[in-house]
Amino acid sequence: MQINDFKEENSYLNKVNSCIKEIEKKLEQEKQIFEEEISEQKAYFSENYYEINGSKDEIANINDKINEKENYLSQLQLLNIRLNRQKNSAYFGRIDFVENNENNIYYIGMGHIQNEGAPLVYDWRADMSSLFYDFSKGNAFYVAPIGKIEGEITKKRQYKIENGQLIYFIDNDFNVSDEILQEELAKDSSNKLKQIVATIQKEQNELIRSDDFSNWIVQGVAGSGKTSIALHRIAYLLYKHKDFLKSYDILILSPSNLFSEYISDILPLLGEDNTIQTTFDNIASKYLNYFENKESMLNRVLDKTNQDELNYIAIKSSFEFLNELLEFIKDKLPKLFVPKTIKIGKLTILEKDIANLFFDKFSKLSVFKRIDNISEYVLTFFHTSPEVGEGIKQRIKSVLYSMFVTRDIKEIYNIFLSYEKLNTINLINYEDIAPMLILKHELEGLENFYDTKYMIIDEMQDLSPCQIHLFELIWNCPKIYFGDINQCLEKQLNDSYLLNLQEYLKARLFILNKSYRCSLPIAKLTQKMIGIENIENLNQNGDNVEVINSNNTLSSLQSIINNLDENKKVAIICKNKGMLEKIKTNLHNIPDNVTITTIANSKGVDFYHVIVPFVDEKNYNSNLDKNLLYIASTRATMKLTYIFEGEISKFLKDLV
């Protein structure tokens, strides 16, 4: 690192830091102006409420003005969050790019910074910033709105900046420096996901920046950055397609509320509003009143493994089951409709005409669309206003639906199960929700509660084909399914499942086989545990896995947490809810930095230190248990501790 270079870089950083301070000052002034204007508008509305109450136009006008100012204020606050972050580290990279004999210097950071119209730092999502992630020194190009821009990278530099001070920089000929990547990997992991803009790898960048809006499946090993890629892709799309996409147009289907909390900081740090997030349980609750949730299902099968229940879950989680359900919907569900003559006022529609409409004219449509079209057809015989007509149409639909042998979805589902020679149900188990909702959609149509243009679905391996089919029915938009078939909680999956899913979704399949999260000892152990090979492990740090043969697991746990570093994020990850309650009841003085959770709720989250208790043979002995142990173990980034009594699980016996 040349002294003159360091002085020049320091000078440039000071210039950028000064600019950030000026922008912040202007933002604060603008923010105060808007807050005062909003306050004045609200005060005017309150003081003159009775005078303007009769004027809908004036009320709407005032509300529009207030909403417009509040939205703009929200954008200012997001910008302020990002600038606060850039105040600490204004940028992380530089590219010198020669185009048409002209040398262009691009500094790349979390967001755009300019001084009187002159760019000082480019947003990592800008077109030219792709040079930093995709190319080494030499010939390179980026794609701009005007087309492909070709040239030569003559310098590629990475920076370590902390508290606004330049610590060092590295000139490297290749992609993101291993030195900086290793330093980031070695940092303590918090209970929040971190942004990775400074260390995005080439294969990750390809996914983040793609303008392909078809369905995707991203299969990645534990720690390959799937969730980070998903969120950074959202940030990129909101930046690149800001006229088409807003944050409320994107829906994230996440595995749990803990996961939602874990990812909540990323988009604001990247200068974007958080998108809508939900879980499958939340979706189901909008259509069904009583059902078993995901956590209860897992407790049912994990507290005391019941092979019959696992077999039924496996059957209902297969493409064969989905295909049989769709055949039932096509051939047998319509036969539950028994046409009858309709008499409304002076109008009579004969039974044979209703039958012709339902079974012939509209037979290509779903059942609820057939009913809707027949209602529209009957309505044409009435000459009335649209308002009155809508009431008549609803009455006709009610009469038509009364012609079904049954409209009870559970009863119809049991008819289907009987055809398949499967046990009928009394209570709605978790694995029965999606097939029942598919039936409900066919019969009645499901209201779309989230009007989304793009969908991110995490932990796709935990979804059944019926659930995936349901999402395709409800949301006609591009989707990305992220997951790892080795981290399935209640069934065994293999590569053929991925290929079936790819064919069904007509999706592009991406494989991520680089692991960034776990230290090398943890990565090697867990990959051997489930027989994964050809994985590139980037995190070379970490101590050997600790194994404690204990006479009393609870005492050993208490001893460990009494001596923990309070600055390190730690998780005690239990196989099931029963173990969790036992530990919570018996441990004392649990520090704030310790999370006690189940394997199911820990998915997608990582911790500096993970402790897995009760890893004896009686608790972890089936193939499903092997998956569970793998999931729990790969939540650890730097330190992993197993505690067992008696005989250690066979999945660890030859590994530790």
Side-chain angles (χ1 to χ4, degrees):
M1 189 162 61
Q2 298 292 324
I3 294 175
N4 287 340
D5 273 2
F6 195 85
K7 284 182 178 179
E8 288 176 8
E9 290 289 7
N10 226 8
S11 175
Y12 191 83
L13 178 59
N14 290 335
K15 180 181 177 181
V16 175
N17 286 340
S18 297
C19 185
I20 291 174
K21 288 177 183 176
E22 284 300 314
I23 295 171
E24 280 191 314
K25 192 185 298 182
K26 290 176 183 176
L27 274 180
E28 186 57 36
Q29 291 169 351
E30 198 172 359
K31 185 176 159 212
Q32 287 178 359
I33 291 170
F34 272 85
E35 285 174 343
E36 288 171 7
E37 289 179 354
I38 291 169
S39 181
E40 287 171 5
Q41 291 276 7
K42 289 183 176 179
Y44 172 80
F45 184 81
S46 179
E47 291 167 6
N48 299 278
Y49 176 77
Y50 291 105
E51 287 79 1
I52 63 176
N53 190 33
S55 173
K56 291 182 179 179
D57 289 343
E58 188 171 357
I59 290 172
N61 186 45
I62 293 171
N63 282 333
D64 286 346
K65 286 180 178 177
I66 291 173
N67 288 336
E68 186 179 330
K69 292 181 189 299
E70 286 182 336
N71 287 337
Y72 188 73
L73 189 60
S74 174
Q75 294 304 308
L76 291 179
Q77 288 165 340
L78 282 172
L79 182 55
N80 198 50
I81 290 171
R82 194 256 295 165
L83 282 171
N84 262 326
R85 187 65 177 250
Q86 281 190 273
K87 213 164 37 173
N88 175 62
S89 181
Y91 46 84
F92 51 80
R94 166 181 163 175
I95 287 288
D96 290 18
F97 185 65
V98 178
E99 175 203 345
N100 295 328
N101 296 318
E102 181 181 344
N103 188 42
N104 302 289
I105 299 177
Y106 302 129
Y107 284 83
I108 299 159
M110 195 180 297
H112 196 72
I113 297 170
Q114 63 181 32
N115 182 24
E116 298 179 353
L120 298 179
V121 178
Y122 288 87
D123 193 297
W124 66 276
R125 299 167 290 184
D127 296 328
M128 68 285 297
S129 297
S130 64
L131 294 167
F132 178 76
Y133 300 109
D134 289 342
F135 293 97
S136 55
K137 281 175 65 175
N139 293 335
F141 68 88
Y142 66 91
V143 179
I146 61 172
K148 188 176 182 181
I149 309 297
E150 296 182 286
E152 180 187 2
I153 295 175
T154 57
K155 181 177 290 182
K156 186 170 183 181
R157 183 168 282 179
Q158 290 174 258
Y159 301 88
K160 177 69 175 179
I161 300 172
E162 286 184 350
N163 299 319
Q165 301 295 312
L166 179 59
I167 309 301
Y168 63 81
F169 60 80
I170 297 172
D171 286 339
N172 62 300
D173 293 342
F174 302 102
N175 292 320
V176 173
S177 165
D178 280 348
E179 183 176 340
I180 289 180
L181 178 58
Q182 291 301 326
E183 190 170 336
E184 286 298 311
L185 292 172
K187 285 182 179 177
D188 183 18
S189 177
S190 70
N191 278 340
K192 300 277 191 176
L193 191 68
K194 294 178 287 190
Q195 57 82 14
I196 59 168
V197 292
T199 57
I200 291 171
Q201 304 293 290
K202 184 174 181 179
E203 71 278 3
Q204 296 173 327
N205 193 51
E206 179 188 352
L207 291 171
I208 290 168
R209 289 176 178 268
S210 174
D211 283 325
D212 180 356
F213 280 86
S214 58
N215 282 340
W216 289 7
I217 299 168
V218 181
Q219 158 63 28
V221 294
S224 56
K226 297 182 293 294
T227 303
S228 290
I229 291 169
L231 295 175
H232 285 68
R233 174 152 180 77
I234 289 172
Y236 173 77
L237 292 174
L238 291 172
Y239 174 88
K240 184 73 180 290
H241 303 283
K242 56 176 71 77
D243 294 332
F244 166 71
L245 273 180
K246 306 298 179 188
S247 58
Y248 50 77
D249 291 322
I250 297 176
L251 176 64
I252 299 178
L253 184 65
S254 57
S256 68
N257 292 326
L258 175 63
F259 180 84
S260 298
E261 173 67 17
Y262 176 64
I263 67 174
S264 61
D265 282 351
I266 294 299
L267 288 172
L269 281 176
L270 296 172
E272 303 292 349
D273 276 322
N274 268 320
T275 62
I276 300 170
Q277 295 178 44
T278 191
T279 64
F280 180 71
D281 287 357
N282 289 339
I283 293 169
S285 68
K286 297 179 184 303
Y287 307 113
L288 298 174
N289 293 325
Y290 305 104
F291 58 87
E292 178 188 46
N293 62 26
K294 175 81 177 220
E295 186 177 5
S296 297
M297 180 273 285
L298 291 171
N299 288 329
R300 167 165 56 94
V301 299
L302 297 181
D303 277 343
K304 184 177 180 181
T305 303
N306 184 315
Q307 194 57 48
D308 287 340
E309 288 186 342
L310 286 174
N311 289 341
Y312 269 103
I313 290 172
I315 289 169
K316 292 174 181 179
S317 298
S318 67
F319 276 100
E320 289 78 10
F321 184 82
L322 171 62
N323 291 334
E324 291 298 326
L325 179 64
L326 295 179
E327 282 297 313
F328 173 83
I329 286 171
K330 179 183 175 183
D331 296 334
K332 296 185 172 61
L333 179 61
K335 294 176 182 176
L336 297 178
F337 181 75
V338 181
K340 296 175 184 175
T341 296
I342 292 179
K343 290 184 178 181
I344 301 177
K346 296 179 180 179
L347 179 68
T348 300
I349 306 289
L350 297 176
E351 173 187 320
K352 65 180 179 120
D353 295 322
I354 297 294
N356 178 62
L357 290 168
F358 188 88
F359 292 111
D360 294 320
K361 184 177 178 62
F362 300 127
S363 62
K364 301 295 183 185
L365 302 177
S366 60
V367 168
F368 82 89
K369 287 183 178 177
R370 296 189 207 188
I371 296 297
D372 194 66
N373 276 265
I374 295 171
S375 301
E376 286 283 357
Y377 171 80
V378 174
L379 187 62
T380 60
F381 293 97
F382 293 86
H383 303 289
T384 185
S385 67
E387 293 80 9
V388 174
E390 184 59 32
I392 295 173
K393 181 181 176 181
Q394 293 306 315
R395 183 181 170 193
I396 297 167
K397 287 177 77 170
S398 179
V399 171
L400 289 169
Y401 271 119
S402 71
M403 297 178 191
F404 282 90
V405 173
T406 178
R407 284 183 62 194
D408 185 288
I409 298 300
K410 187 168 72 172
E411 192 174 338
I412 294 172
Y413 182 54
N414 277 331
I415 292 171
F416 164 68
L417 292 176
S418 296
Y419 275 119
E420 297 302 310
K421 296 182 171 53
L422 296 172
N423 292 341
T424 56
I425 63 167
N426 291 316
L427 300 175
I428 303 173
N429 287 332
Y430 183 80
E431 61 270 20
D432 298 308
I433 297 171
M436 286 183 64
L437 290 182
I438 291 171
L439 287 168
K440 189 175 180 68
H441 178 77
E442 176 69 20
L443 191 64
E444 302 170 2
L446 296 180
E447 182 182 355
N448 184 351
F449 289 92
Y450 304 103
D451 188 15
T452 181
K453 295 178 181 176
Y454 202 79
M455 198 165 174
I456 305 280
I457 301 168
D458 211 357
E459 305 293 354
M460 58 92 175
Q461 72 279 354
D462 289 339
L463 299 172
S464 69
C466 282
Q467 287 173 303
I468 290 169
H469 181 76
L470 180 67
F471 302 153
E472 293 296 312
L473 287 175
I474 299 175
W475 292 290
N476 182 25
C477 67
K479 303 173 187 69
I480 306 183
Y481 292 85
F482 286 87
D484 178 10
I485 56 174
N486 300 300
Q487 295 186 59
C488 188
L489 287 165
E490 71 276 2
K491 54 188 180 291
Q492 292 291 306
L493 300 176
N494 53 34
D495 290 343
S496 64
Y497 176 83
L498 276 180
L499 296 176
N500 286 336
L501 188 59
Q502 181 186 12
E503 183 180 352
Y504 169 74
L505 291 171
K506 303 293 186 287
R508 291 182 65 188
L509 176 61
F510 295 87
I511 305 294
L512 300 176
N513 58 8
K514 290 183 180 179
S515 176
Y516 302 92
R517 177 196 297 141
C518 301
S519 67
L520 189 60
I522 296 171
K524 282 188 170 182
L525 181 146
T526 53
Q527 288 157 18
K528 283 182 181 177
M529 183 190 298
I530 57 170
I532 300 179
E533 297 178 346
N534 301 319
I535 303 300
E536 187 177 348
N537 297 298
L538 276 293
N539 190 347
Q540 301 294 309
N541 304 289
D543 301 326
N544 288 332
V545 175
E546 180 183 24
V547 181
I548 300 173
N549 187 350
S550 175
N551 292 322
N552 187 309
T553 297
L554 294 171
S555 295
S556 296
L557 272 174
Q558 188 69 63
S559 177
I560 291 172
I561 67 170
N562 288 345
N563 294 283
L564 287 174
D565 182 342
E566 62 182 17
N567 295 315
K568 306 294 187 184
K569 299 301 179 182
V570 180
I572 301 171
I573 302 183
C574 309
K575 179 180 177 181
N576 52 46
K577 195 173 181 181
M579 286 185 188
L580 180 143
E581 294 300 333
K582 182 177 181 180
I583 287 171
K584 278 190 172 181
T585 302
N586 290 280
L587 289 190
H588 307 289
N589 302 318
I590 301 169
D592 292 339
N593 63 314
V594 175
T595 299
I596 305 175
T597 187
T598 60
I599 294 172
N601 283 330
S602 72
K603 296 192 73 175
V605 185
D606 60 63
F607 302 87
Y608 179 88
H609 182 188
V610 164
I611 305 163
V612 189
F614 304 111
V615 291
D616 47 72
E617 178 62 17
K618 69 178 181 180
N619 288 316
Y620 291 94
N621 54 65
S622 69
N623 284 331
L624 176 61
D625 292 332
K626 180 169 65 173
N627 277 20
L628 297 173
L629 194 56
Y630 173 75
I631 294 166
S633 305
T634 52
R635 301 309 95 202
T637 60
M638 298 300 292
K639 189 171 183 180
L640 175 61
T641 301
Y642 294 120
I643 305 175
F644 73 99
E645 298 177 20
E647 184 182 359
I648 194 168
S649 167
K650 62 187 174 186
F651 303 122
L652 295 173
K653 190 173 291 184
D654 298 326
L655 300 178
V656 295

